[in-house]
Amino acid sequence: MERRTVVRCAEGHLFSTSTFPMQNLGAGRLGPGRLIRCPQCGRLRSAVPADVSALSEGQLARALRLA
């Protein structure tokens, strides 16, 4: 099964991605954000992994539908 990462863009939109570029380098090396095209606003935005424990079930389900 494909592993998805729930992320939040700089505008606050939640969505999921199957790849999170340079994820294995860690936050200490390049910072936590990555440039990813947000499916809600359609722009290239800085995105960070979202704290899924702080999201409601509805927010999480919607983020996993948006890719």
Side-chain angles (χ1 to χ4, degrees):
M1 184 175 172
E2 177 181 42
R3 182 163 183 222
R4 309 229 18 112
T5 302
V6 176
V7 297
R8 183 181 302 274
C9 82
E11 292 293 316
H13 302 133
L14 288 168
F15 59 97
S16 65
T17 181
S18 60
T19 60
F20 198 63
M22 297 184 282
Q23 184 173 355
N24 60 342
L25 294 179
R29 186 134 181 227
L30 293 174
R34 304 290 180 261
L35 289 176
I36 298 178
R37 186 163 309 278
C38 174
Q40 290 186 345
C41 61
R43 302 184 110 180
L44 196 59
R45 299 275 189 202
S46 176
V48 295
D51 181 8
V52 293
S53 64
L55 299 176
S56 70
E57 286 186 29
Q59 287 175 313
L60 186 57
R62 185 165 192 262
L64 290 171
R65 281 194 311 269
L66 291 172

